[in-house]
């Protein structure tokens, strides 16, 4: 009999980036890279586990923006072009490196992987990767949870809760359409919890969410089981808190697995390393060097003198690290079981894009880990939050503390000198949206289209990603531009609707560029 | 795709004289080109690598351009807030904990002038590229940044001040602008019943401020107002109410789920991942240490880190450096329908019978037999360049 449970959570999210007006758009690469390096390898890993009858449970957040992009025909066909181009580059690399076997084998590895990605994406799933994950959910192994519609950061929406409601409703609405069922759980964007937001979750049929460690530890009253059992908010919505120890093993820049010297180095990419004329067709059209995804070196050490990547060694390491992770969770569960006199649940959430994109061997690590847990021991079991709550329906009632999983644990990353200017605009737009909903309780025809579009623009402006990017310092002009664009479009719509002067051709234009959530209902913002 | 390959393979433009006419093998021109790709990079301050090739300069300038573009755009954003006031930008010493980059610092010190016009209306005036400096409101909003800090932003209209002027006249001269921060924990605040308050004098040009309240688990409300020389405080706008989160475990336990202090401390230590047997002082230290660690999306895989012009390089290695690699281009032409092999490997010819192969060239000797066989297998030509690379 098991002594405890492991709840692995991957949070998959990218902001909505789609620019039909440009043939080649730098920031769209975020999606293409993640498809090749993260989403396809993860889906393929889950499939292989099912094929081999491995019993596993995994929880995965798929943000509505990510789902929208994965379902968008334009982005789908652009990804196909992208992977075709990568295959072409990999073929050239196989030729170019033929006098250097240590690189040549890597070029071949990439060629194989890219061809597999094309097959998986185009042939197996007809460009619809959401189906791949839905299948794993339908097989009972994966619990897919939703997220804020555009990843708006809820703690900084305290003065406009209607927007929190719109974020949640839009997300749940999309989830039902895409997955054919009600979502049980939500990943609060950036793990940002603000007391009473759970009431909005409850309205929308959500049964659980996650917070960072201190969200529960500093909750009121004190949590009897620390972070090793979920708690119920007064609303009855359950709250699971992150376990630090398991997080650290994967996340930490110093102590984490991904920093192992045998793993692939993220930064050395041929997009930057090779002769400009040669690589030009495969980087940005304006000649801006970008990551291609072909990287030949391993981390090696704290040096710039990188050694060639050796996939076999990296694979060995991934297996070793999976074993180590499992061993530590076993010890942790045994110990906690003694202390608590109750089977603990260890919640380990990670950004999905960490696996494969940043930590190239990450999907392999998950593969090893789930196989080992299923076959090599019986101290811990993987579990989904829904299953846990069915097994253990009685939990302590606590009001979790406001918290996030961002730097320093609260809102500072999204509220500081580089980005604090956005909130006066976001809050005003939200206030105006509520005003529109009050004035037009049941709009039809053109005004309805304009109102729906107004809500799309507002939601897009609210993505926490823009503030995040302003803070990190890369792609800042883009994030600033996106914030401005959506706010300005919203404002224009607000004026036009109020004055009953809707510019239909212009509306049609932005409906086709900002085309997220085709079934949105502006009254979600209530 | 085909077009791209063609483009890539034509590393040297062909002149018409190179297109030879002949019977069997028109031309097999092996052109050997050693390319030294020297990438030189130096810190922003040093007089960037003079020896860098044109190409690198181009690349560098792309990066620099992007950086400048970024800066310009940010400054533009900042300017948006002050552009409509028509007065010069002034700085307000915002209280900040965070040491950011220069840009971030700049952004902290650039603020809006006021009173501002309601810039959005009338509609005709709206500039398609700029956000309005204000919305014609008299309002102040506060948000919680963390257990110890609040952020306040506000907007006050000219009309508000006109009205005040009518009412108070000369009394307004010499009035100081304040943020009055009320502690309203556990009460229904009516403007008079706060547990206490403190004032922060602000620069009249500021439109936002970080407030160090220093008390976790308390509720606050902030007025922006004027302190007249006679000591009277006039509220210009009152904020929403917020509550800061606790910075440590709650002192409240519930009977049913009670846990003794010692056990809780043990559990707390386990929960934050630092083992057992911590004193409460240790615990405080550990949680604050834990919160300073990067264990989430901020740490690694932000989308921003994944593409584009910025490459993460360890800071200490951003010194002068040099990388040299060599590549070899072997190219030529034959009959378009001939079979061609290079080092025994078949090579696909372009439609016009040309070919171009690019090799990464390591140290040592490379023997490169290029063999062409006519379509009818009657004719055969072999040319074998031998290339040696030696690095000193």
């Amino acid at each position: 009999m098991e002594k405890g449970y492991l709840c692995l959570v991957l949070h998959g999210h990218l902001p909505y980036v789609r620019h039909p007006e440009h043939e080649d758009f730098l920031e769209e690469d975020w999606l293409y890279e993640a498809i090749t390096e993260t989403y396809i390898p993860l889906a393929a890993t889950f499939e292989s586990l099912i094929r081999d009858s491995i019993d596993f449970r995994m929880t995965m957040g798929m943000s509505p923006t990510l789902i929208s992009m994965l379902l968008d025909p334009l982005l789908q066909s652009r990804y196909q072009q992208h992977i075709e181009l990568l295959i072409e580059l990999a073929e050239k690399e196989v030729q170019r490196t033929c006098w250097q076997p240590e690189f040549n084998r890597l070029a071949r590895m990439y060629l194989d992987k890219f061809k597999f990605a094309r097959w998986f994406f185009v042939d197996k799933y007809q460009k619809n990767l959401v189906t791949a994950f839905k299948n794993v959910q339908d097989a009972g192994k994966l619990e897919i949870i939703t997220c804020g519609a555009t990843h708006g950061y809820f703690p900084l929406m305290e003065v406009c809760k209607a927007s929190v409601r719109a974020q949640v409703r839009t997300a749940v609405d999309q989830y039902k359409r895409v997955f054919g069922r009600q979502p049980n759980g939500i990943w609060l964007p950036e793990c940002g919890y603000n007391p009473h937001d759970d009431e909005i979750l409850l309205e929308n049929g959500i049964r659980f969410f996650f917070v960072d460690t201190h969200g529960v530890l500093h909750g009121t009253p004190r949590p009897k089981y620390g972070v090793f059992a979920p708690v119920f908010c007064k609303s009855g919505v359950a709250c699971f808190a992150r376990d630090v120890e398991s997080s650290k093993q994967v996340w930490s820049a110093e102590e984490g697995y991904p920093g192992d010297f045998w793993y692939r180095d993220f930064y050395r990419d041929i997009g930057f390393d090779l002769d400009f004329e040669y690589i030009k067709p495969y980087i940005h059209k304006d000649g801006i060097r970008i990551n291609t995804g072909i990287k030949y070196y391993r981390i090696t050490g704290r040096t710039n003198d990188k050694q060639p990547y050796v996939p076999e060694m990296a694979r060995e390491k991934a297996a070793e690290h999976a074993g180590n992770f499992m061993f530590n969770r076993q010890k942790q569960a045994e110990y906690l079981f003694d202390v608590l006199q109750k089977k603990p649940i260890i919640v380990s959430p990670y950004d999905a894009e960490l696996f494969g994109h940043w930590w190239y061997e990450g999907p392999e690590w998950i593969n090893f880990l789930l196989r080992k847990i299923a076959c090599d021991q019986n101290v811990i079991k993987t579990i989904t939050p829904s299953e846990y709550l069915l097994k253990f329906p009685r939990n302590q009632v606590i009001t979790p503390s406001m918290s996030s999983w961002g730097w320093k644990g609260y809102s500072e990353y999204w509220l500081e000198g580089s980005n604090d200017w956005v909130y006066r605009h976001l809050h005003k737009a939200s206030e105006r949206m509520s005003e529109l909903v009050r004035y037009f309780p049941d709009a039809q025809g053109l005004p309805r289209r304009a109102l729906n579009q107004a809500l799309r623009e507002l939601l897009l402006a609210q993505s926490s990603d823009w503030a995040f990017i302003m803070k990190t310092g890369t792609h800042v002009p883009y994030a600033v531009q996106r914030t401005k664009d959506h706010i300005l479009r919203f404002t224009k719509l607000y004026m036009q609707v109020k004055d009953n002067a809707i510019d239909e051709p212009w509306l049609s234009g932005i409906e086709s560029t900002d085309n997220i959530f085709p079934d949105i209902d502006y009254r979600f913002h209530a | 795709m085909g077009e791209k390959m063609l483009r890539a393979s034509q590393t040297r433009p062909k002149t018409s004289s190179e297109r030879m006419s002949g019977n069997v093998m028109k031309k097999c021109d092996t052109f050997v080109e050693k390319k030294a790709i020297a990438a030189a990079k130096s810190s922003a301050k040093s007089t960037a690598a003079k020896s860098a090739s044109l190409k690198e300069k181009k690349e560098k300038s792309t990066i620099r351009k992007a950086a400048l573009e970024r800066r310009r755009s940010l400054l533009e954003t900042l300017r948006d807030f002050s552009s409509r006031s028509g007065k010069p930008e002034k700085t307000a010493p915002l209280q900040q904990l965070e040491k950011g980059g220069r840009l971030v610092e700049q952004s902290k010190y650039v603020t809006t002038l006021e009173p501002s016009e309601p810039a959005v209306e009338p509609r005709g005036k709206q500039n398609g590229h700029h956000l309005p400096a204000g919305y014609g409101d008299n309002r102040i909003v506060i948000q919680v940044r963390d257990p110890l800090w609040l952020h306040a932003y506000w907007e006050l209209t000219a009309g508000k001040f006109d009205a005040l002027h009518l009412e108070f006249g000369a009394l307004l001269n010499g009035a100081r602008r304040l943020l009055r921060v009320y502690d309203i924990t556990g009460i229904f605040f009516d403007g008079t019943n706060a547990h206490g308050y403190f004032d922060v004098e602000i620069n009249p040009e500021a439109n936002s401020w970080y407030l160090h309240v220093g008390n976790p688990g308390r509720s606050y409300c902030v007025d922006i107002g004027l302190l007249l020389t006679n000591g009277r405080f006039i509220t210009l706008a009152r904020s929403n109410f917020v509550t800061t989160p606790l910075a440590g475990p709650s002192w409240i336990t519930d009977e049913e789920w009670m846990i003794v202090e010692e056990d809780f401390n043990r559990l707390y230590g386990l929960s934050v991942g630092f083992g057992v047997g911590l004193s409460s002082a240790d615990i405080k230290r550990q949680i604050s240490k834990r919160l300073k660690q990067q264990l989430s999306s901020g740490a690694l895989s932000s989308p921003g880190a994944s593409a584009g012009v910025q490459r993460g390089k360890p800071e200490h290695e951003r010194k002068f450096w040099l990388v040299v690699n060599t590549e070899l281009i072997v190219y030529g032409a034959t009959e378009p329908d001939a079979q061609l092999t290079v080092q025994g490997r078949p090579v696909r010819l372009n439609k016009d019978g040309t070919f171009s192969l690019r090799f990464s060239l390591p140290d040592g000797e490379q023997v490169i037999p290029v063999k062409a066989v006519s379509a009818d297998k009657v004719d055969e030509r072999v040319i074998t360049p031998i290339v040696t690379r030696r690095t000193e």
Side-chain angles (χ1 to χ4, degrees):
Chain A
M1 198 60 178
E2 71 275 359
K3 291 244 169 89
Y5 301 97
L6 175 63
C7 177
L8 289 167
V9 186
L10 300 181
H11 165 53
H13 164 69
L14 284 173
Y16 198 68
V17 178
R18 176 183 177 275
H19 293 277
E21 72 277 20
H22 295 281
E23 188 195 339
D24 185 9
F25 200 82
L26 192 64
E27 282 78 4
E28 280 180 10
D29 282 357
W30 298 338
L31 175 69
Y32 308 146
E33 286 176 21
I35 289 177
T36 311
E37 295 174 340
T38 297
Y39 308 139
I40 288 176
L42 282 179
T45 298
F46 297 150
E47 285 182 3
S48 83
L49 292 166
I50 292 174
R51 202 164 43 237
D52 298 344
S53 308
I54 301 293
D55 193 24
F56 71 97
R57 294 293 184 278
M58 178 68 96
T59 305
M60 192 167 164
M62 294 182 81
S63 77
T65 47
L66 175 59
I67 288 176
S68 300
M69 288 192 289
L70 290 176
L71 293 177
D72 184 80
L74 175 75
L75 293 174
Q76 288 173 344
S77 72
R78 283 187 175 182
Y79 176 71
Q80 190 179 353
Q81 288 167 20
H82 174 90
I83 193 72
E84 297 286 3
L85 209 57
L86 272 184
I87 289 170
E88 181 187 301
L89 175 60
E91 276 167 348
K92 280 192 189 173
E93 279 299 283
V94 168
Q95 144 68 37
R96 191 185 67 86
T97 56
C98 68
W99 297 337
Q100 291 170 298
E102 70 276 27
F103 294 117
N104 189 250
R105 56 203 293 268
L106 297 175
R108 287 176 196 282
M109 174 189 86
Y110 285 115
L111 182 59
D112 288 347
K113 288 202 175 189
F114 296 155
K115 282 183 171 170
F116 172 78
R118 178 175 63 185
W119 171 81
F120 196 86
F121 186 78
V122 180
D123 302 310
K124 185 158 190 197
Y125 284 103
Q126 281 77 51
K127 308 185 199 176
N128 181 348
L129 279 186
V130 178
T131 313
F133 291 101
K134 181 177 183 292
N135 290 348
V136 185
Q137 165 152 285
D138 292 345
K141 306 296 181 196
L142 180 68
E143 171 157 25
I144 299 175
I145 60 176
T146 189
C147 187
T150 59
H151 217 258
Y153 181 66
F154 295 175
L156 296 176
M157 293 186 187
E158 194 175 65
V159 291
C160 50
K161 290 273 185 183
S163 284
V164 176
R165 191 168 283 115
Q167 287 271 345
V168 176
R169 276 202 203 177
T170 308
V172 170
D173 182 65
Q174 183 209 45
Y175 187 101
K176 286 184 192 163
R177 289 171 200 277
V178 172
F179 296 107
R181 40 166 281 195
Q182 161 77 28
N184 277 343
I186 189 169
W187 178 263
L188 296 176
E190 307 295 0
C191 228
Y193 172 74
N194 201 19
H196 304 299
D197 283 351
D198 47 285
E199 291 155 18
I200 292 170
L201 304 182
L202 179 71
E203 285 168 23
N204 290 283
I206 303 258
R207 306 248 338 264
F208 64 86
F209 64 96
F210 298 88
V211 293
D212 201 351
T213 317
H214 53 299
V216 160
L217 277 189
H218 298 174
T220 310
R222 288 188 178 190
K224 181 172 165 72
Y225 297 111
V227 296
F228 304 108
V231 297
F232 283 123
C233 301
K234 286 194 181 120
S235 61
V237 177
C239 170
F240 290 82
R242 168 158 84 154
D243 168 58
V244 171
E245 204 176 307
S246 57
S247 289
K248 219 167 30 164
Q249 279 185 312
V250 176
W251 274 123
S252 168
E254 295 94 42
E255 309 151 61
Y257 302 133
D260 190 280
F261 293 166
W262 285 100
Y263 285 147
R264 195 188 75 166
D265 187 274
F266 178 80
Y267 294 110
R268 287 294 297 273
D269 189 292
I270 65 166
F272 294 94
D273 280 354
L274 293 189
D275 177 43
F276 185 72
E277 290 303 323
Y278 171 75
I279 205 71
K280 206 171 150 194
Y282 309 99
I283 57 176
H284 189 263
K285 292 261 183 298
D286 298 342
I288 302 168
R289 287 176 178 266
I290 54 168
N291 285 326
T292 60
I294 300 182
K295 303 170 203 281
Y296 289 138
Y297 296 92
R298 61 189 180 89
I299 293 172
T300 315
R302 295 183 182 281
T303 166
N304 252 350
D305 184 24
K306 302 290 181 192
Q307 298 301 308
Y309 181 59
V310 186
E312 298 75 20
M313 284 305 294
R315 203 179 138 84
E316 280 295 305
K317 280 289 173 184
E320 189 187 303
H321 288 155
N324 177 272
F325 186 87
M326 183 179 75
F327 174 80
N328 283 311
R329 297 294 80 72
Q330 286 173 315
K331 294 292 146 218
Q332 201 181 358
E334 281 168 347
Y335 185 79
L336 287 167
F337 184 75
D338 279 353
V339 173
L340 304 176
Q341 297 297 307
K342 177 188 169 82
K343 291 178 187 172
I345 179 168
I346 298 163
V347 179
S348 308
Y350 309 101
D351 263 358
E353 293 77 18
L354 169 78
F355 294 87
H357 180 59
W358 173 268
W359 181 15
Y360 190 60
E361 298 77 9
E364 197 69 80
W365 178 82
I366 289 180
N367 186 24
F368 285 126
L369 177 65
L370 292 173
R371 282 171 197 269
K372 281 175 195 288
I373 289 176
C375 307
D376 295 357
Q377 56 88 48
N378 49 21
V379 179
I380 52 168
K381 261 180 96 168
T382 53
I383 199 166
T384 65
S386 288
E387 277 179 325
Y388 182 93
L389 291 172
L390 275 179
K391 260 187 210 254
F392 304 96
R394 191 167 176 276
N395 292 290
Q396 190 182 1
V397 176
I398 275 182
T399 301
S401 172
M402 175 213 155
S403 53
S404 85
W405 79 342
W407 187 59
K408 291 188 182 173
Y410 299 95
S411 300
E412 188 172 343
Y413 214 90
W414 302 274
L415 182 66
E416 57 102 51
S418 66
N419 53 29
D420 55 18
W421 59 273
V422 305
Y423 297 101
R424 66 176 69 236
H425 301 290
L426 294 177
H427 293 163
K428 186 69 191 179
S430 174
E431 182 189 310
R432 287 175 161 177
M433 189 72 224
S434 294
E435 182 192 332
L436 291 175
V437 175
R438 275 198 309 277
Y439 283 175
F440 303 95
D442 190 24
Q444 299 300 328
L446 188 59
R448 189 186 184 90
R449 271 175 58 199
L451 287 162
N452 287 343
Q453 190 60 28
L455 182 53
R456 285 186 197 105
E457 301 295 341
L458 173 61
L459 292 174
L460 288 170
Q462 287 170 339
S463 291
S464 69
D465 307 84
W466 311 141
F468 185 89
I469 292 169
M470 288 174 210
K471 161 71 177 154
T472 52
T474 13
H475 299 262
V476 173
Y478 181 69
V480 170
Q481 195 58 48
R482 285 293 301 272
T483 305
K484 283 191 190 179
D485 283 351
H486 295 303
I487 293 282
L488 290 171
R489 283 171 201 161
F490 171 84
T491 308
K492 202 165 164 183
L493 285 163
Y494 165 78
M495 297 295 179
Q496 292 189 354
V497 172
K498 270 184 68 173
D499 297 355
N500 193 20
I502 298 165
D503 178 353
E504 200 279 334
W506 175 74
L507 172 61
S508 291
I510 57 171
E511 277 174 339
S512 71
T513 26
D514 298 335
N515 68 340
I516 194 169
F517 309 132
D519 303 301
I520 204 168
D521 183 339
Y522 69 98
R523 291 167 301 187
F524 289 166
H525 198 278
Chain B
M1 188 157 91
E3 193 200 334
K4 276 224 174 76
M5 285 184 79
L6 202 67
R7 181 150 40 101
S9 65
Q10 286 169 347
T11 48
R12 208 188 73 169
K14 303 258 181 215
T15 60
S16 58
S17 65
E18 280 178 325
R19 298 188 176 281
M20 290 171 56
S21 54
N23 283 335
V24 187
M25 190 173 213
K26 284 175 181 165
K27 185 182 179 186
C28 185
D29 169 19
T30 43
F31 179 81
V32 178
E33 182 183 77
K34 273 194 193 179
K35 275 196 168 180
I37 301 170
K41 200 175 165 188
S42 62
S43 76
K45 277 179 190 163
S46 82
T47 49
K50 283 168 194 153
S51 60
S53 76
L54 211 64
K55 214 171 286 165
E56 290 133 24
K57 275 186 189 154
K58 198 164 91 189
E59 186 191 326
K60 258 188 89 111
S61 83
T62 316
I63 293 171
R64 201 180 299 128
K65 231 161 65 191
L68 283 174
E69 179 51 40
R70 219 171 24 244
R71 180 175 310 178
R72 197 179 311 127
S73 154
L74 185 53
L75 287 176
E76 212 172 85
T77 314
L78 300 170
R79 230 171 276 131
D80 286 348
F81 294 111
S82 47
S83 59
R84 279 158 204 281
S85 62
K87 294 184 209 160
E89 287 174 5
K90 286 195 185 169
T91 59
L94 292 197
Q95 301 171 43
Q96 262 302 101
L97 285 175
E98 191 45 34
K99 278 180 277 171
R102 260 184 46 221
L103 283 180
V104 176
E105 275 171 26
Q106 278 174 339
S107 74
K108 271 176 211 151
Y109 293 119
V110 183
T111 51
T112 314
L113 297 172
E114 56 167 307
S116 59
E117 302 272 63
V120 171
E121 296 163 78
R123 282 167 58 228
K125 271 192 189 167
Q126 193 183 329
N127 181 323
H129 299 294
H130 295 286
L131 293 175
Y135 291 94
D137 293 332
N138 290 294
R139 110 194 269 215
I140 175 167
V141 171
I142 55 173
Q143 302 201 87
V144 175
R145 194 188 77 177
D146 56 46
L148 303 178
W149 288 80
L150 306 180
H151 178 250
Y153 71 80
W154 58 86
E155 184 192 346
L156 298 167
T157 60
K160 183 82 187 174
F161 286 91
D162 291 346
L164 283 176
H165 205 77
L166 280 177
E167 195 178 339
F168 295 98
L171 275 176
L172 289 180
N173 296 336
R176 289 149 65 203
R177 189 163 302 191
L178 299 183
L179 293 177
R180 180 157 287 186
V181 184
Y182 301 98
D183 182 337
I184 57 165
T185 309
I187 56 172
F188 184 78
F189 182 53
D190 61 8
T192 61
N193 59 345
H195 299 298
Y197 68 83
F198 65 90
D199 290 340
V200 177
E201 182 162 358
I202 52 168
N203 188 320
E205 283 81 24
N207 70 353
S208 72
W209 210 270
Y210 288 91
L211 289 163
H212 184 251
V213 291
N215 266 322
R218 306 291 294 179
S219 301
Y220 296 95
C221 173
V222 176
D223 278 359
I224 182 164
L226 296 173
L227 187 66
L228 305 185
T229 41
N230 65 6
R232 182 167 166 198
F233 181 74
I234 307 168
T235 297
L236 299 172
R238 174 159 292 163
S239 77
N240 53 312
F241 304 161
V242 298
T243 302
T244 51
L246 294 179
S250 171
W251 50 90
I252 300 168
T253 52
D254 70 36
E255 232 166 77
E256 190 190 354
W257 299 82
M258 215 171 47
I259 176 165
V260 292
E261 185 74 21
E262 214 170 285
D263 286 348
F264 183 78
N265 280 354
R266 188 153 68 139
L267 190 57
Y268 194 99
L270 287 170
S271 295
V272 297
F274 293 99
V276 288
L278 295 169
S279 72
S280 11
D282 283 339
I283 284 167
K284 266 228 149 109
R285 254 200 312 281
Q286 296 293 24
I287 193 78
S288 63
K289 184 174 156 197
R290 142 77 190 88
L291 290 176
K292 279 175 192 137
Q293 283 179 329
Q294 294 254 331
L295 292 178
S296 65
S297 55
L300 305 166
S301 59
S302 77
S306 64
V309 291
Q310 281 212 348
R311 286 186 73 198
K313 283 253 175 212
E315 195 66 33
H316 60 96
E317 291 177 53
R318 293 183 69 92
K319 284 183 259 159
F320 185 72
W321 58 291
L322 171 70
V323 174
V324 177
N325 290 304
T326 53
E327 292 191 338
L328 179 75
I329 292 173
V330 176
Y331 73 91
T334 180
E335 280 290 341
D337 61 355
Q339 301 286 318
L340 188 86
T341 60
V342 174
Q343 286 188 321
R345 283 187 294 270
V347 172
R348 239 182 63 197
L349 294 169
N350 297 322
K351 276 187 190 136
D352 61 355
T354 58
F355 63 90
S356 175
L357 298 173
R358 187 179 182 117
F359 299 90
S360 181
L361 184 67
D363 272 359
E365 186 184 84
Q366 297 296 335
V367 179
I368 314 154
V370 180
K371 181 168 126 183
V373 178
S374 64
D376 57 10
K377 316 269 184 229
V378 174
D379 297 288
E380 184 183 308
R381 294 285 183 284
V382 180
I383 296 177
T384 307
I386 296 169
V387 179
T388 305
R389 170 181 151 175
R390 198 162 58 90
T391 306
E392 291 179 344

